[in-house]
Amino acid sequence: MSDDDPRAALDAIYRGEAGRVRATLIRCLGSFDAAEEALHDAFVAAAKQWPEQGVPINPYAWLVSTGRFSTISRWRRQARLARALPELAPELEVDVELERPDLIQDDELRLIFTCCHPTLTPDARVALTLREVAGLTTEEIARAYLTPTPTIAQRIVRAKAKIRDERIPYEVPSAADLSARLESVLQVVYLIFNEGYASGEGPNLTRDDLCREAIRLGQSIVRLLGEPEALGLLALMILHDARSAARIDADGELVLLERQDRSLWDRTRIREAEQLIERALSARRVGPYLLQAAIAAVHVEAPSFAETDWAQIVGLYDVLRRLDPSPVIALNRAVALGMRDGAKAGLAAIEPLIEQGGLEGYYLAHAARADLERRLGLGAAARRSYERALELSRQPVERRFLEARLAELRLGLAPKP
Amino acid sequence: MRYACLVYFDPQKVFSQSAEAEAALRDTGPYNAELRASGQLVTEGALELPQQAMTVQVRDGKMSATDGPFMETKEVLGGFLVVEARDLNEALRLGAGIPLARLGFVEVRPLVDFSKPRPQL
């Protein structure tokens, strides 16, 4: 089949336009499946006509009209067969106003909010968003999540059935619901990012793809909706990403912030994130993502780990803890406290979190405790904590890191207090 | 990517001349024509019933043949379509459109991509 070549040539346009075209077609045609069919028809027509006639000035409008027209003709043909045309006729007359950018933006937002609807399970939201909004194939999502393709396909089928059966409206939430619904959207984006970032499998292309997709999604949301939390999440992801070259060494081993070569950080991206944070702060509404981004920004501004403005970091964690009183935030604050006021103060803050705060099963809590004990010269206690952390950690890169620290301690290489 | 849509059905149901079965059989040609027109149909074929089939095998260099296959199940493989789809979910949607999916079921399976390593079993 020689049909593959024009399809490949259209790939760039597909990636750029498919999401927006799909978003509008779902509204015009009333279902994900009808929109997918129309989208396919539109791109087939484009593959035939564009090489001869040139790319239209507005590819989006051309693709929407072509897809919609093709579906309507199909429905007419089917209706003729079933002799049901009169009933269908009113539905076909829905007008599409293709020249209004605000409506197009609303369509994109409708699609994002529908795919991240709280009625769907988090797994389903992630799969649906990656496929319908980011334009990944089911197979690409499955590879990135190291999951069998039919499992992902089933999640997508069920999610769409739920949207249809429960009549989840295809709309942008009202102002009253917006911040709660946005939280669900941002959570999906951050889940996608973290899956790519914290995969623990070292450099792995498909995993990097997830980080890139999450950032692209974050950028779309910011373009459509300049909410401070959306800006904060985008800045947070960009800051993590800007440090990624320093995070894994040549042997694929994890390098903690403390030991990272700061000259490897991408300063252009850091400036981009800082501008996003400034823009978000001007709205004077601070949420958890923006605070985490601000904390990450304090880290990257420091010329070295020791010269980090720990007082400011502790202060930001204090605010964050009021918004999100989770023990993990308290743990991060305790680590920062250990840097500001000394290892002893840090240890005093961490111990109750492990013993009563619900972090006994969290490997990072034991790893953080071990590090403080090590710095205080408490070799035996540090060994016990590293061993406990090792029991709880599943990720190979992190396990190797913990094993290396444990070996250092056994050899008596721990720093003296 | 290419996917095979394998159409299974119970011949007793499909050839019962019920209104539902007749409608599904009548819609099959137009559906295939739609898929062909949209460039998604690579090939298709309807199969005679297993009573018309033979099975051959070769063991120790010797060929033997039997009638059938005759399975315990009522459903038999009745036809197939090979479709070109962007991903498994699109192929599922095309498979769900096959009119005989209303009476039987359609197994949607990716065709092997020989540039990928063989399965490790």
Side-chain angles (χ1 to χ4, degrees), chain A residues 1 14 36-37 40 44 74 77 131 135-139 153 156-157, chain B residues 1-3 30 34 37-40 84 86-90 92-93 116:
Chain A
M1 291 259 134
Y14 190 92
E36 188 166 299
E37 201 166 50
H40 171 83
V44 168
R74 186 197 319 268
R77 272 196 308 279
R131 185 169 187 274
L136 266 61
T137 65
T138 315
E139 281 81 356
I156 292 167
V157 167
Chain B
M1 268 186 72
R2 286 179 178 184
Y3 299 83
E34 292 264 349
S38 70
Q40 284 160 298
E84 180 76 48
R86 204 170 78 81
D87 65 5
L88 181 57
N89 279 92
E90 191 176 66
L92 281 176
R93 180 174 60 74
K116 304 256 166 65

PDB file of all heavy atoms in Angstrom, chain A residues 1 14 36-37 40 44 74 77 131 135-139 153 156-157, chain B residues 1-3 30 34 37-40 84 86-90 92-93 116:
ATOM      1  N   MET A   1       0.841  -1.208   0.000  1.00  0.00           N
ATOM      2  CA  MET A   1       0.000   0.000   0.000  1.00  0.00           C
ATOM      3  C   MET A   1       0.868   1.246   0.000  1.00  0.00           C
ATOM      4  O   MET A   1       1.727   1.420   0.853  1.00  0.00           O
ATOM      5  CB  MET A   1      -0.895   0.010   1.245  1.00  0.00           C
ATOM      6  CG  MET A   1      -1.949  -1.058   1.228  1.00  0.00           C
ATOM      7  SD  MET A   1      -3.534  -0.351   0.762  1.00  0.00           S
ATOM      8  CE  MET A   1      -4.116  -1.518  -0.435  1.00  0.00           C
ATOM      9  N   TYR A  14      -0.990  16.560  11.868  1.00  0.00           N
ATOM     10  CA  TYR A  14      -1.853  15.759  12.724  1.00  0.00           C
ATOM     11  C   TYR A  14      -1.568  16.051  14.190  1.00  0.00           C
ATOM     12  O   TYR A  14      -2.476  16.328  14.968  1.00  0.00           O
ATOM     13  CB  TYR A  14      -1.650  14.272  12.427  1.00  0.00           C
ATOM     14  CG  TYR A  14      -2.682  13.407  13.111  1.00  0.00           C
ATOM     15  CD1 TYR A  14      -3.855  13.055  12.463  1.00  0.00           C
ATOM     16  CD2 TYR A  14      -2.499  12.980  14.423  1.00  0.00           C
ATOM     17  CE1 TYR A  14      -4.825  12.304  13.085  1.00  0.00           C
ATOM     18  CE2 TYR A  14      -3.459  12.232  15.057  1.00  0.00           C
ATOM     19  CZ  TYR A  14      -4.619  11.896  14.384  1.00  0.00           C
ATOM     20  OH  TYR A  14      -5.582  11.160  15.018  1.00  0.00           O
ATOM     21  N   GLU A  36     -14.051  10.675  15.986  1.00  0.00           N
ATOM     22  CA  GLU A  36     -12.842   9.972  15.553  1.00  0.00           C
ATOM     23  C   GLU A  36     -12.959   9.567  14.088  1.00  0.00           C
ATOM     24  O   GLU A  36     -12.012   9.690  13.310  1.00  0.00           O
ATOM     25  CB  GLU A  36     -12.616   8.744  16.433  1.00  0.00           C
ATOM     26  CG  GLU A  36     -11.288   8.087  16.168  1.00  0.00           C
ATOM     27  CD  GLU A  36     -10.896   7.095  17.249  1.00  0.00           C
ATOM     28  OE1 GLU A  36     -10.749   7.527  18.416  1.00  0.00           O
ATOM     29  OE2 GLU A  36     -10.759   5.911  16.935  1.00  0.00           O
ATOM     30  N   GLU A  37     -14.154   9.116  13.729  1.00  0.00           N
ATOM     31  CA  GLU A  37     -14.413   8.720  12.349  1.00  0.00           C
ATOM     32  C   GLU A  37     -14.261   9.948  11.429  1.00  0.00           C
ATOM     33  O   GLU A  37     -13.621   9.878  10.380  1.00  0.00           O
ATOM     34  CB  GLU A  37     -15.854   8.205  12.277  1.00  0.00           C
ATOM     35  CG  GLU A  37     -16.176   7.332  11.121  1.00  0.00           C
ATOM     36  CD  GLU A  37     -17.516   6.634  11.384  1.00  0.00           C
ATOM     37  OE1 GLU A  37     -18.497   7.325  11.748  1.00  0.00           O
ATOM     38  OE2 GLU A  37     -17.559   5.414  11.239  1.00  0.00           O
ATOM     39  N   HIS A  40     -10.686  10.973  11.030  1.00  0.00           N
ATOM     40  CA  HIS A  40     -10.002  10.098  10.081  1.00  0.00           C
ATOM     41  C   HIS A  40     -10.326  10.512   8.644  1.00  0.00           C
ATOM     42  O   HIS A  40      -9.426  10.688   7.821  1.00  0.00           O
ATOM     43  CB  HIS A  40     -10.398   8.647  10.311  1.00  0.00           C
ATOM     44  CG  HIS A  40      -9.886   7.745   9.220  1.00  0.00           C
ATOM     45  ND1 HIS A  40      -8.613   7.253   9.214  1.00  0.00           N
ATOM     46  CD2 HIS A  40     -10.462   7.334   8.075  1.00  0.00           C
ATOM     47  CE1 HIS A  40      -8.421   6.549   8.114  1.00  0.00           C
ATOM     48  NE2 HIS A  40      -9.535   6.571   7.402  1.00  0.00           N
ATOM     49  N   VAL A  44      -7.780  11.784   5.717  1.00  0.00           N
ATOM     50  CA  VAL A  44      -7.669  11.060   4.446  1.00  0.00           C
ATOM     51  C   VAL A  44      -7.873  12.043   3.289  1.00  0.00           C
ATOM     52  O   VAL A  44      -7.111  12.063   2.315  1.00  0.00           O
ATOM     53  CB  VAL A  44      -8.685   9.906   4.370  1.00  0.00           C
ATOM     54  CG1 VAL A  44      -8.769   9.348   2.948  1.00  0.00           C
ATOM     55  CG2 VAL A  44      -8.304   8.801   5.347  1.00  0.00           C
ATOM     56  N   ARG A  74     -22.352  10.464   5.508  1.00  0.00           N
ATOM     57  CA  ARG A  74     -22.455   9.068   5.928  1.00  0.00           C
ATOM     58  C   ARG A  74     -23.792   8.814   6.627  1.00  0.00           C
ATOM     59  O   ARG A  74     -24.472   7.837   6.365  1.00  0.00           O
ATOM     60  CB  ARG A  74     -21.285   8.736   6.867  1.00  0.00           C
ATOM     61  CG  ARG A  74     -21.201   7.263   7.248  1.00  0.00           C
ATOM     62  CD  ARG A  74     -20.315   7.035   8.465  1.00  0.00           C
ATOM     63  NE  ARG A  74     -19.109   7.853   8.455  1.00  0.00           N
ATOM     64  CZ  ARG A  74     -17.946   7.454   7.938  1.00  0.00           C
ATOM     65  NH1 ARG A  74     -17.825   6.258   7.433  1.00  0.00           N
ATOM     66  NH2 ARG A  74     -16.909   8.256   7.973  1.00  0.00           N
ATOM     67  N   ARG A  77     -26.572   8.696   4.172  1.00  0.00           N
ATOM     68  CA  ARG A  77     -26.616   7.408   3.452  1.00  0.00           C
ATOM     69  C   ARG A  77     -27.251   6.329   4.321  1.00  0.00           C
ATOM     70  O   ARG A  77     -28.110   5.591   3.902  1.00  0.00           O
ATOM     71  CB  ARG A  77     -25.201   6.959   3.075  1.00  0.00           C
ATOM     72  CG  ARG A  77     -24.707   7.489   1.752  1.00  0.00           C
ATOM     73  CD  ARG A  77     -23.499   6.702   1.262  1.00  0.00           C
ATOM     74  NE  ARG A  77     -22.413   6.574   2.233  1.00  0.00           N
ATOM     75  CZ  ARG A  77     -21.497   7.529   2.473  1.00  0.00           C
ATOM     76  NH1 ARG A  77     -21.563   8.679   1.827  1.00  0.00           N
ATOM     77  NH2 ARG A  77     -20.539   7.324   3.335  1.00  0.00           N
ATOM     78  N   ARG A 131      -4.614   9.977  25.095  1.00  0.00           N
ATOM     79  CA  ARG A 131      -5.033   9.611  23.740  1.00  0.00           C
ATOM     80  C   ARG A 131      -5.809  10.735  23.061  1.00  0.00           C
ATOM     81  O   ARG A 131      -5.506  11.107  21.940  1.00  0.00           O
ATOM     82  CB  ARG A 131      -5.884   8.343  23.764  1.00  0.00           C
ATOM     83  CG  ARG A 131      -6.213   7.878  22.346  1.00  0.00           C
ATOM     84  CD  ARG A 131      -6.810   6.498  22.337  1.00  0.00           C
ATOM     85  NE  ARG A 131      -6.964   6.024  20.982  1.00  0.00           N
ATOM     86  CZ  ARG A 131      -8.017   6.286  20.224  1.00  0.00           C
ATOM     87  NH1 ARG A 131      -9.003   7.021  20.698  1.00  0.00           N
ATOM     88  NH2 ARG A 131      -8.084   5.816  18.999  1.00  0.00           N
ATOM     89  N   GLY A 135      -3.019  13.103  21.828  1.00  0.00           N
ATOM     90  CA  GLY A 135      -2.927  12.469  20.509  1.00  0.00           C
ATOM     91  C   GLY A 135      -2.008  11.264  20.445  1.00  0.00           C
ATOM     92  O   GLY A 135      -1.601  10.845  19.373  1.00  0.00           O
ATOM     93  N   LEU A 136      -1.655  10.677  21.600  1.00  0.00           N
ATOM     94  CA  LEU A 136      -0.856   9.451  21.580  1.00  0.00           C
ATOM     95  C   LEU A 136      -1.724   8.278  21.139  1.00  0.00           C
ATOM     96  O   LEU A 136      -2.937   8.285  21.342  1.00  0.00           O
ATOM     97  CB  LEU A 136      -0.295   9.160  22.982  1.00  0.00           C
ATOM     98  CG  LEU A 136       1.107   9.686  23.298  1.00  0.00           C
ATOM     99  CD1 LEU A 136       1.160  11.184  23.198  1.00  0.00           C
ATOM    100  CD2 LEU A 136       1.532   9.242  24.683  1.00  0.00           C
ATOM    101  N   THR A 137      -1.100   7.239  20.578  1.00  0.00           N
ATOM    102  CA  THR A 137      -1.868   6.039  20.252  1.00  0.00           C
ATOM    103  C   THR A 137      -1.955   5.155  21.501  1.00  0.00           C
ATOM    104  O   THR A 137      -1.159   5.299  22.437  1.00  0.00           O
ATOM    105  CB  THR A 137      -1.205   5.216  19.135  1.00  0.00           C
ATOM    106  OG1 THR A 137       0.054   4.731  19.610  1.00  0.00           O
ATOM    107  CG2 THR A 137      -0.981   6.050  17.884  1.00  0.00           C
ATOM    108  N   THR A 138      -2.926   4.239  21.482  1.00  0.00           N
ATOM    109  CA  THR A 138      -3.076   3.307  22.589  1.00  0.00           C
ATOM    110  C   THR A 138      -1.769   2.546  22.827  1.00  0.00           C
ATOM    111  O   THR A 138      -1.352   2.345  23.970  1.00  0.00           O
ATOM    112  CB  THR A 138      -4.186   2.287  22.262  1.00  0.00           C
ATOM    113  OG1 THR A 138      -5.298   2.994  21.713  1.00  0.00           O
ATOM    114  CG2 THR A 138      -4.635   1.534  23.487  1.00  0.00           C
ATOM    115  N   GLU A 139      -1.120   2.159  21.732  1.00  0.00           N
ATOM    116  CA  GLU A 139       0.128   1.396  21.844  1.00  0.00           C
ATOM    117  C   GLU A 139       1.229   2.231  22.493  1.00  0.00           C
ATOM    118  O   GLU A 139       2.011   1.718  23.294  1.00  0.00           O
ATOM    119  CB  GLU A 139       0.581   0.913  20.459  1.00  0.00           C
ATOM    120  CG  GLU A 139      -0.167  -0.313  19.938  1.00  0.00           C
ATOM    121  CD  GLU A 139      -1.529   0.009  19.310  1.00  0.00           C
ATOM    122  OE1 GLU A 139      -1.960   1.181  19.337  1.00  0.00           O
ATOM    123  OE2 GLU A 139      -2.172  -0.924  18.795  1.00  0.00           O
ATOM    124  N   ALA A 153      -6.461  -0.096  26.211  1.00  0.00           N
ATOM    125  CA  ALA A 153      -7.592   0.030  25.275  1.00  0.00           C
ATOM    126  C   ALA A 153      -8.911  -0.112  26.033  1.00  0.00           C
ATOM    127  O   ALA A 153      -9.861   0.645  25.806  1.00  0.00           O
ATOM    128  CB  ALA A 153      -7.484  -1.021  24.180  1.00  0.00           C
ATOM    129  N   ILE A 156      -9.855   2.948  27.997  1.00  0.00           N
ATOM    130  CA  ILE A 156     -10.359   4.017  27.123  1.00  0.00           C
ATOM    131  C   ILE A 156     -11.800   3.711  26.704  1.00  0.00           C
ATOM    132  O   ILE A 156     -12.674   4.579  26.745  1.00  0.00           O
ATOM    133  CB  ILE A 156      -9.416   4.201  25.915  1.00  0.00           C
ATOM    134  CG1 ILE A 156      -8.080   4.775  26.407  1.00  0.00           C
ATOM    135  CG2 ILE A 156     -10.038   5.100  24.849  1.00  0.00           C
ATOM    136  CD1 ILE A 156      -6.957   4.730  25.398  1.00  0.00           C
ATOM    137  N   VAL A 157     -12.056   2.444  26.344  1.00  0.00           N
ATOM    138  CA  VAL A 157     -13.412   2.050  25.935  1.00  0.00           C
ATOM    139  C   VAL A 157     -14.393   2.283  27.085  1.00  0.00           C
ATOM    140  O   VAL A 157     -15.465   2.867  26.904  1.00  0.00           O
ATOM    141  CB  VAL A 157     -13.437   0.557  25.510  1.00  0.00           C
ATOM    142  CG1 VAL A 157     -14.867   0.050  25.386  1.00  0.00           C
ATOM    143  CG2 VAL A 157     -12.690   0.365  24.192  1.00  0.00           C
TER     144      VAL A 157
ATOM    145  N   MET B   1      -1.073   1.153  11.685  1.00  0.00           N
ATOM    146  CA  MET B   1      -0.912  -0.268  11.991  1.00  0.00           C
ATOM    147  C   MET B   1      -2.054  -1.080  11.412  1.00  0.00           C
ATOM    148  O   MET B   1      -3.140  -0.555  11.215  1.00  0.00           O
ATOM    149  CB  MET B   1      -0.897  -0.464  13.505  1.00  0.00           C
ATOM    150  CG  MET B   1       0.499  -0.423  14.104  1.00  0.00           C
ATOM    151  SD  MET B   1       0.433  -0.843  15.849  1.00  0.00           S
ATOM    152  CE  MET B   1       0.082  -2.600  15.810  1.00  0.00           C
ATOM    153  N   ARG B   2      -1.766  -2.348  11.163  1.00  0.00           N
ATOM    154  CA  ARG B   2      -2.813  -3.220  10.634  1.00  0.00           C
ATOM    155  C   ARG B   2      -3.340  -4.161  11.718  1.00  0.00           C
ATOM    156  O   ARG B   2      -2.573  -4.653  12.544  1.00  0.00           O
ATOM    157  CB  ARG B   2      -2.267  -4.022   9.459  1.00  0.00           C
ATOM    158  CG  ARG B   2      -2.138  -3.123   8.261  1.00  0.00           C
ATOM    159  CD  ARG B   2      -1.598  -3.831   7.077  1.00  0.00           C
ATOM    160  NE  ARG B   2      -1.561  -2.849   5.977  1.00  0.00           N
ATOM    161  CZ  ARG B   2      -1.204  -3.131   4.757  1.00  0.00           C
ATOM    162  NH1 ARG B   2      -0.865  -4.359   4.443  1.00  0.00           N
ATOM    163  NH2 ARG B   2      -1.198  -2.181   3.841  1.00  0.00           N
ATOM    164  N   TYR B   3      -4.625  -4.368  11.663  1.00  0.00           N
ATOM    165  CA  TYR B   3      -5.293  -5.240  12.631  1.00  0.00           C
ATOM    166  C   TYR B   3      -6.206  -6.183  11.869  1.00  0.00           C
ATOM    167  O   TYR B   3      -6.841  -5.779  10.888  1.00  0.00           O
ATOM    168  CB  TYR B   3      -6.139  -4.416  13.611  1.00  0.00           C
ATOM    169  CG  TYR B   3      -5.337  -3.435  14.421  1.00  0.00           C
ATOM    170  CD1 TYR B   3      -5.017  -2.191  13.882  1.00  0.00           C
ATOM    171  CD2 TYR B   3      -4.871  -3.749  15.690  1.00  0.00           C
ATOM    172  CE1 TYR B   3      -4.255  -1.283  14.595  1.00  0.00           C
ATOM    173  CE2 TYR B   3      -4.118  -2.844  16.408  1.00  0.00           C
ATOM    174  CZ  TYR B   3      -3.808  -1.617  15.860  1.00  0.00           C
ATOM    175  OH  TYR B   3      -3.048  -0.729  16.568  1.00  0.00           O
ATOM    176  N   PRO B  30     -22.391  -2.854   2.389  1.00  0.00           N
ATOM    177  CA  PRO B  30     -22.211  -1.398   2.483  1.00  0.00           C
ATOM    178  C   PRO B  30     -21.145  -0.993   3.520  1.00  0.00           C
ATOM    179  O   PRO B  30     -20.398  -0.046   3.296  1.00  0.00           O
ATOM    180  CB  PRO B  30     -23.600  -0.894   2.900  1.00  0.00           C
ATOM    181  CG  PRO B  30     -24.550  -1.930   2.408  1.00  0.00           C
ATOM    182  CD  PRO B  30     -23.803  -3.240   2.458  1.00  0.00           C
ATOM    183  N   GLU B  34     -17.878   1.233   2.807  1.00  0.00           N
ATOM    184  CA  GLU B  34     -17.515   2.458   3.542  1.00  0.00           C
ATOM    185  C   GLU B  34     -16.045   2.417   3.945  1.00  0.00           C
ATOM    186  O   GLU B  34     -15.311   3.390   3.783  1.00  0.00           O
ATOM    187  CB  GLU B  34     -18.330   2.569   4.847  1.00  0.00           C
ATOM    188  CG  GLU B  34     -19.806   2.809   4.661  1.00  0.00           C
ATOM    189  CD  GLU B  34     -20.157   4.285   4.770  1.00  0.00           C
ATOM    190  OE1 GLU B  34     -19.278   5.063   5.187  1.00  0.00           O
ATOM    191  OE2 GLU B  34     -21.298   4.644   4.418  1.00  0.00           O
ATOM    192  N   ALA B  37     -13.802   2.817   1.013  1.00  0.00           N
ATOM    193  CA  ALA B  37     -13.785   4.196   0.523  1.00  0.00           C
ATOM    194  C   ALA B  37     -12.930   5.091   1.418  1.00  0.00           C
ATOM    195  O   ALA B  37     -12.275   6.013   0.940  1.00  0.00           O
ATOM    196  CB  ALA B  37     -15.207   4.742   0.451  1.00  0.00           C
ATOM    197  N   SER B  38     -12.913   4.810   2.724  1.00  0.00           N
ATOM    198  CA  SER B  38     -12.143   5.666   3.622  1.00  0.00           C
ATOM    199  C   SER B  38     -10.682   5.203   3.724  1.00  0.00           C
ATOM    200  O   SER B  38      -9.921   5.746   4.516  1.00  0.00           O
ATOM    201  CB  SER B  38     -12.789   5.699   5.008  1.00  0.00           C
ATOM    202  OG  SER B  38     -12.625   4.458   5.642  1.00  0.00           O
ATOM    203  N   GLY B  39     -10.318   4.215   2.942  1.00  0.00           N
ATOM    204  CA  GLY B  39      -8.925   3.771   2.915  1.00  0.00           C
ATOM    205  C   GLY B  39      -8.517   2.897   4.077  1.00  0.00           C
ATOM    206  O   GLY B  39      -7.342   2.660   4.300  1.00  0.00           O
ATOM    207  N   GLN B  40      -9.488   2.406   4.858  1.00  0.00           N
ATOM    208  CA  GLN B  40      -9.125   1.636   6.053  1.00  0.00           C
ATOM    209  C   GLN B  40      -9.205   0.127   5.861  1.00  0.00           C
ATOM    210  O   GLN B  40      -8.814  -0.619   6.740  1.00  0.00           O
ATOM    211  CB  GLN B  40     -10.027   2.057   7.227  1.00  0.00           C
ATOM    212  CG  GLN B  40      -9.613   3.399   7.790  1.00  0.00           C
ATOM    213  CD  GLN B  40     -10.722   4.037   8.588  1.00  0.00           C
ATOM    214  OE1 GLN B  40     -11.790   4.340   8.058  1.00  0.00           O
ATOM    215  NE2 GLN B  40     -10.484   4.241   9.851  1.00  0.00           N
ATOM    216  N   GLU B  84      -6.623  -0.949   8.426  1.00  0.00           N
ATOM    217  CA  GLU B  84      -5.524  -0.043   8.745  1.00  0.00           C
ATOM    218  C   GLU B  84      -6.093   0.948   9.754  1.00  0.00           C
ATOM    219  O   GLU B  84      -7.103   1.610   9.470  1.00  0.00           O
ATOM    220  CB  GLU B  84      -5.111   0.671   7.448  1.00  0.00           C
ATOM    221  CG  GLU B  84      -3.987   1.656   7.585  1.00  0.00           C
ATOM    222  CD  GLU B  84      -2.623   0.985   7.708  1.00  0.00           C
ATOM    223  OE1 GLU B  84      -2.336   0.080   6.900  1.00  0.00           O
ATOM    224  OE2 GLU B  84      -1.876   1.363   8.631  1.00  0.00           O
ATOM    225  N   ARG B  86      -5.135   3.730  13.283  1.00  0.00           N
ATOM    226  CA  ARG B  86      -4.089   4.468  13.977  1.00  0.00           C
ATOM    227  C   ARG B  86      -3.627   3.722  15.227  1.00  0.00           C
ATOM    228  O   ARG B  86      -2.461   3.733  15.574  1.00  0.00           O
ATOM    229  CB  ARG B  86      -4.638   5.840  14.378  1.00  0.00           C
ATOM    230  CG  ARG B  86      -3.597   6.905  14.578  1.00  0.00           C
ATOM    231  CD  ARG B  86      -4.279   8.252  14.725  1.00  0.00           C
ATOM    232  NE  ARG B  86      -4.840   8.424  16.054  1.00  0.00           N
ATOM    233  CZ  ARG B  86      -4.119   8.788  17.100  1.00  0.00           C
ATOM    234  NH1 ARG B  86      -2.836   8.993  17.004  1.00  0.00           N
ATOM    235  NH2 ARG B  86      -4.698   8.949  18.276  1.00  0.00           N
ATOM    236  N   ASP B  87      -4.568   3.098  15.920  1.00  0.00           N
ATOM    237  CA  ASP B  87      -4.202   2.350  17.122  1.00  0.00           C
ATOM    238  C   ASP B  87      -5.286   1.324  17.449  1.00  0.00           C
ATOM    239  O   ASP B  87      -6.268   1.198  16.710  1.00  0.00           O
ATOM    240  CB  ASP B  87      -3.931   3.293  18.309  1.00  0.00           C
ATOM    241  CG  ASP B  87      -5.167   4.073  18.757  1.00  0.00           C
ATOM    242  OD1 ASP B  87      -6.267   3.826  18.224  1.00  0.00           O
ATOM    243  OD2 ASP B  87      -5.030   4.928  19.655  1.00  0.00           O
ATOM    244  N   LEU B  88      -5.062   0.581  18.546  1.00  0.00           N
ATOM    245  CA  LEU B  88      -5.987  -0.500  18.886  1.00  0.00           C
ATOM    246  C   LEU B  88      -7.402   0.014  19.122  1.00  0.00           C
ATOM    247  O   LEU B  88      -8.379  -0.638  18.734  1.00  0.00           O
ATOM    248  CB  LEU B  88      -5.468  -1.265  20.117  1.00  0.00           C
ATOM    249  CG  LEU B  88      -6.309  -2.455  20.593  1.00  0.00           C
ATOM    250  CD1 LEU B  88      -6.502  -3.493  19.491  1.00  0.00           C
ATOM    251  CD2 LEU B  88      -5.663  -3.126  21.808  1.00  0.00           C
ATOM    252  N   ASN B  89      -7.533   1.181  19.752  1.00  0.00           N
ATOM    253  CA  ASN B  89      -8.887   1.686  20.001  1.00  0.00           C
ATOM    254  C   ASN B  89      -9.616   2.041  18.705  1.00  0.00           C
ATOM    255  O   ASN B  89     -10.823   1.828  18.597  1.00  0.00           O
ATOM    256  CB  ASN B  89      -8.862   2.895  20.944  1.00  0.00           C
ATOM    257  CG  ASN B  89      -8.738   2.461  22.384  1.00  0.00           C
ATOM    258  OD1 ASN B  89      -7.633   2.350  22.902  1.00  0.00           O
ATOM    259  ND2 ASN B  89      -9.854   2.156  23.027  1.00  0.00           N
ATOM    260  N   GLU B  90      -8.873   2.564  17.719  1.00  0.00           N
ATOM    261  CA  GLU B  90      -9.534   2.854  16.450  1.00  0.00           C
ATOM    262  C   GLU B  90      -9.941   1.541  15.774  1.00  0.00           C
ATOM    263  O   GLU B  90     -11.044   1.425  15.226  1.00  0.00           O
ATOM    264  CB  GLU B  90      -8.633   3.677  15.528  1.00  0.00           C
ATOM    265  CG  GLU B  90      -9.402   4.208  14.333  1.00  0.00           C
ATOM    266  CD  GLU B  90      -8.583   5.106  13.429  1.00  0.00           C
ATOM    267  OE1 GLU B  90      -7.629   4.632  12.795  1.00  0.00           O
ATOM    268  OE2 GLU B  90      -8.902   6.303  13.367  1.00  0.00           O
ATOM    269  N   LEU B  92     -10.722  -1.184  17.256  1.00  0.00           N
ATOM    270  CA  LEU B  92     -11.888  -1.693  17.989  1.00  0.00           C
ATOM    271  C   LEU B  92     -13.166  -1.023  17.501  1.00  0.00           C
ATOM    272  O   LEU B  92     -14.206  -1.663  17.356  1.00  0.00           O
ATOM    273  CB  LEU B  92     -11.743  -1.412  19.488  1.00  0.00           C
ATOM    274  CG  LEU B  92     -10.846  -2.327  20.294  1.00  0.00           C
ATOM    275  CD1 LEU B  92     -10.747  -1.819  21.730  1.00  0.00           C
ATOM    276  CD2 LEU B  92     -11.392  -3.751  20.279  1.00  0.00           C
ATOM    277  N   ARG B  93     -13.061   0.284  17.261  1.00  0.00           N
ATOM    278  CA  ARG B  93     -14.238   1.004  16.778  1.00  0.00           C
ATOM    279  C   ARG B  93     -14.645   0.471  15.402  1.00  0.00           C
ATOM    280  O   ARG B  93     -15.836   0.256  15.145  1.00  0.00           O
ATOM    281  CB  ARG B  93     -13.923   2.505  16.694  1.00  0.00           C
ATOM    282  CG  ARG B  93     -15.084   3.351  16.203  1.00  0.00           C
ATOM    283  CD  ARG B  93     -14.783   4.837  16.278  1.00  0.00           C
ATOM    284  NE  ARG B  93     -13.630   5.237  15.489  1.00  0.00           N
ATOM    285  CZ  ARG B  93     -13.625   5.317  14.150  1.00  0.00           C
ATOM    286  NH1 ARG B  93     -14.704   5.010  13.470  1.00  0.00           N
ATOM    287  NH2 ARG B  93     -12.538   5.692  13.519  1.00  0.00           N
ATOM    288  N   LYS B 116       9.814  -5.729  15.193  1.00  0.00           N
ATOM    289  CA  LYS B 116       9.899  -5.852  16.659  1.00  0.00           C
ATOM    290  C   LYS B 116      10.396  -7.253  17.024  1.00  0.00           C
ATOM    291  O   LYS B 116      10.218  -8.196  16.255  1.00  0.00           O
ATOM    292  CB  LYS B 116       8.505  -5.643  17.271  1.00  0.00           C
ATOM    293  CG  LYS B 116       7.868  -4.326  16.877  1.00  0.00           C
ATOM    294  CD  LYS B 116       7.946  -3.328  18.025  1.00  0.00           C
ATOM    295  CE  LYS B 116       7.631  -1.925  17.571  1.00  0.00           C
ATOM    296  NZ  LYS B 116       6.247  -1.777  17.125  1.00  0.00           N
TER     297      LYS B 116
END
